[in-house]
Amino acid sequence: MWRQPPLRHFLHRLVRQASAFPSSPPPPLLLRPILPPIYPSSPFRSFSSSSAPPSDLALSISAELVKISSADSSSSAPALDLPSYFSLHFSDVRFNTSLLAEILNLSHAAGRSAVDLYRWIVRDRSFTPSDASLSLVVHFLGRRKDFKAVDGLLAEFRHIVGPLSFQASLERLARAGRHTHALRFFDSAPTELGIQRDAAALSSLVTALAEHGFPGHAEGAVKQYAAEVFPDEGICTALIRGWCNAGKLEEARRLMGEIIRGGFDLGTPAYNAILDCVCRLSRKKDPLRLQHEADKILFEMESAGIPRDAETFRVLIYNLCKIRMTEDAMKTFRRMSEWGCSPDAETYLALIRSLYQAARVSEGDEMIGWMRSAGFGDKLDRKAYYGFVKILCGIERVEHAMKVFRMMKGYGHAPGVKTYSLLIEKLATHNQGDRANALFNEAVARRVPVTPQVYKIDKRYAKVKKEKKVKKRLTFSEKMAKKRRRLKMLRLSFVKKPRKNRRAV
């Protein structure tokens, strides 16, 4: 079987070629620290965890879009013309990118009608198409795995295809498991879409393939285009992170050795990926050796002169919290200042969840206050609070769950149907029907679609009236019968047992 040659062969060959031509500067071997990605993250994010409810305009447009899509899919119902219908009902709406994102997020059942909506707002509503708005539609179609429609859309709006829509296409193809399609798409991008194959484009391809379970194909793509695009530190780190996410520690170590021998100096992110892989494997095989194995990687980092950062401590704290070593996680949290690191939002959230899980509720509340004072209050959204309430209800701390619920509303986060349903169920099973009914009425008043149900009260919280035992007065005949039984037992106790029934000494 043919195998790709190691990456170091390409690196050495490129260095020799560059040194043969003095007029062109050789590629740098000592790279600068890793920069943030050139292609920003996609603006297509779900609004389900946001504290702001969807607008009535987006809801109405989404409902009409789904209705048109269902009419087109059914053979019995007459087909509706989307441009004519929307020109009649939504002629006064001024569309923008944020409204389009909200509509697409609410229209999961709408198929290619979303593409018709995008064409209509561009042609008839004077909507200026952009790379960001096109990436929203690409993400919507990619979630439905309708990549034929994605190819047609990109060919139609070829003049506005940019980094966002290009990255969205690669990400959705890799997430759907179509790695060969993603490689063909990247190979044909310069001729069909006018996207230049540079380091940023190759980084998008490698990141998409590595994050979704195809690190081998990502490494093969880097080796294939090594003569055209010289891999930088970010691409090498993405490859190592891909192997680590797949749990292939040996492959990650092998690739790290090849990269170092090729002249690269890997930074902290690559070692953080190795550390996370080691911790996850230790959790699966032997959780008690997690701290020992993690110390080996930390010692290796110190030997190589690699400093620790906030991500290093976040990886350690998260994995310690996953195996319920909350006290060790708190000790690691207190040592962060010794290395000049400050915890990020994910570190705070992992510690809060672990403290609540360990029933250390007062410390969890204190950690929430620290998180807000550190400037991460915006990360405490409705989804985070629901996670806290779910943990507290799971350990039967319903009163504290109601406290967190009131805290959630006090900071302006509207609870959703999951939060209300969970708290109503727990209050009802704890034999607090009045509070459960009050919470249900509050949800109805807030227009939260809570379904009324019948809950069974837990036996531990059911108030059972103890019946007083009344001593029954025996009649004379009953007293004599009881006396005769007692005398009979006394007489039998003096009778010698047969030898076969006696116990051997």
Side-chain angles (χ1 to χ4, degrees):
M1 181 182 295
W2 181 81
R3 296 181 59 186
Q4 290 277 2
L7 181 62
R8 63 177 183 272
H9 293 171
F10 290 96
L11 298 177
H12 288 312
R13 188 184 65 184
L14 291 174
V15 172
R16 288 196 304 268
Q17 290 177 357
S19 59
F21 300 95
S23 58
S24 60
L29 297 181
L30 298 177
L31 301 175
R32 59 182 182 275
I34 185 170
L35 298 174
I38 299 178
Y39 293 161
S41 60
S42 169
F44 191 83
R45 290 291 181 267
S46 176
F47 288 82
S48 58
S49 62
S50 176
S51 58
S55 61
D56 296 335
L57 179 61
L59 287 171
S60 59
I61 295 177
S62 173
E64 298 298 333
L65 190 64
V66 172
K67 184 173 70 174
I68 291 176
S69 178
S70 60
D72 292 341
S73 59
S74 61
S75 57
S76 58
L80 297 176
D81 187 15
L82 188 143
S84 303
Y85 187 83
F86 272 73
S87 298
L88 181 63
H89 292 83
F90 302 103
S91 59
D92 56 340
V93 178
R94 296 181 62 88
F95 287 87
N96 52 30
T97 305
S98 60
L99 178 60
L100 178 64
E102 198 170 357
I103 293 170
L104 293 178
N105 185 65
L106 295 170
S107 308
H108 298 290
R112 297 189 178 182
S113 300
V115 182
D116 298 334
L117 174 67
Y118 188 72
R119 292 194 185 101
W120 174 72
I121 63 176
V122 169
R123 295 172 182 173
D124 299 339
R125 299 301 304 151
S126 300
F127 178 79
T128 304
S130 62
D131 185 28
S133 61
L134 185 63
S135 66
L136 297 176
V137 188
V138 171
H139 273 293
F140 177 83
L141 295 173
R143 285 192 304 176
R144 298 176 56 86
K145 299 182 180 180
D146 192 358
F147 296 107
K148 187 175 181 180
V150 170
D151 295 339
L153 182 69
L154 294 178
E156 182 178 357
F157 296 93
R158 184 178 183 274
H159 59 286
I160 61 170
V161 174
L164 289 177
S165 53
F166 179 70
Q167 185 186 19
S169 303
L170 290 174
E171 181 183 352
R172 288 298 169 179
L173 286 169
R175 182 175 294 185
R178 307 190 180 189
H179 51 279
T180 55
H181 192 173
L183 292 172
R184 289 198 304 268
F185 178 79
F186 178 81
D187 190 59
S188 62
T191 57
E192 295 184 0
L193 301 177
I195 299 293
Q196 185 180 1
R197 261 201 308 261
D198 52 3
L202 183 61
S203 178
S204 297
L205 174 66
V206 172
T207 303
L209 292 175
E211 286 184 356
H212 296 97
F214 303 103
H217 294 81
E219 185 177 348
V222 172
K223 295 173 181 177
Q224 180 181 354
Y225 298 103
E228 183 178 351
V229 180
F230 193 82
D232 56 3
E233 184 183 355
I235 294 176
C236 297
T237 304
L239 288 174
I240 295 174
R241 186 176 289 115
W243 284 117
C244 292
N245 291 339
K248 304 295 182 63
L249 183 60
E250 296 81 3
E251 294 291 336
R253 287 287 196 181
R254 185 264 310 166
L255 183 61
M256 177 179 283
E258 291 182 4
I259 291 172
I260 293 175
R261 289 191 296 270
F264 283 90
D265 285 342
L266 293 175
T268 310
Y271 283 91
N272 289 339
I274 297 290
L275 177 64
D276 185 37
C277 183
V278 168
C279 290
R280 284 190 287 110
L281 292 176
S282 299
R283 277 167 41 198
K284 187 181 298 184
K285 296 179 181 179
D286 189 3
L288 297 178
R289 290 186 56 85
L290 187 146
Q291 191 74 46
H292 178 68
E293 297 295 333
D295 290 340
K296 289 183 180 179
I297 304 299
L298 296 177
F299 180 75
E300 183 180 344
M301 292 175 63
E302 292 180 7
S303 302
I306 304 298
R308 304 181 192 180
D309 59 357
E311 186 184 0
T312 309
F313 287 96
R314 178 177 59 81
V315 168
L316 286 173
I317 291 173
Y318 174 79
N319 286 279
L320 288 172
C321 291
K322 289 296 272 186
I323 59 175
R324 299 291 182 264
M325 297 180 67
T326 308
E327 188 58 36
D328 293 339
M330 289 297 296
K331 291 179 182 178
T332 306
F333 174 76
R334 297 187 190 102
R335 291 184 56 196
M336 292 185 67
S337 58
E338 300 177 6
W339 296 84
C341 301
S342 299
D344 54 4
E346 294 297 327
T347 306
Y348 278 112
L349 290 175
L351 281 172
I352 293 169
R353 286 191 286 263
S354 184
L355 289 170
Y356 279 153
Q357 189 71 43
R360 299 162 64 170
V361 291
S362 59
E363 297 180 56
D365 295 342
E366 186 180 8
M367 190 66 67
I368 290 179
W370 290 354
M371 183 175 177
R372 288 194 174 278
S373 62
F376 299 110
D378 56 335
K379 300 297 182 180
L380 289 168
D381 53 2
R382 185 169 68 176
K383 184 178 180 181
Y385 278 111
Y386 171 70
F388 302 155
V389 171
K390 187 175 180 181
I391 291 173
L392 291 170
C393 290
I395 63 173
E396 303 298 336
R397 297 296 183 95
V398 183
E399 292 298 330
H400 205 84
M402 290 298 297
K403 177 183 176 181
V404 175
F405 177 72
R406 291 190 294 269
M407 186 191 308
M408 173 185 181
K409 294 190 294 183
Y411 283 105
H413 301 289
V417 61
K418 291 184 178 180
T419 309
Y420 275 111
S421 301
L422 179 61
L423 287 174
I424 290 171
E425 179 184 359
K426 278 298 177 181
L427 289 173
T429 54
H430 281 230
N431 200 13
Q432 300 183 27
D434 296 337
R435 298 179 67 184
N437 291 333
L439 201 61
F440 178 81
N441 295 332
E442 177 187 332
V444 172
R446 289 174 175 265
R447 297 182 180 179
V448 179
V450 181
T451 305
Q453 297 181 13
V454 179
Y455 300 102
K456 186 178 180 180
I457 299 176
D458 196 338
K459 294 180 180 180
R460 296 173 295 174
Y461 306 99
K463 297 178 181 178
V464 181
K465 293 182 179 180
K466 295 183 179 180
E467 297 181 357
K468 293 183 179 180
K469 293 183 178 180
V470 180
K471 191 174 182 180
K472 182 182 179 182
R473 292 188 63 181
L474 300 177
T475 61
F476 180 75
S477 60
E478 291 174 345
K479 287 182 180 179
M480 295 304 295
K482 184 178 179 181
K483 185 177 180 180
R484 285 192 297 269
R485 286 195 302 269
R486 178 61 179 166
L487 291 173
K488 183 180 179 182
M489 295 298 295
L490 288 173
R491 286 196 302 269
L492 289 175
S493 63
F494 292 100
V495 177
K496 190 176 182 180
K497 305 292 189 302
R499 181 178 295 274
K500 63 178 180 178
N501 292 337
R502 273 189 281 177
R503 183 178 299 175
V505 179

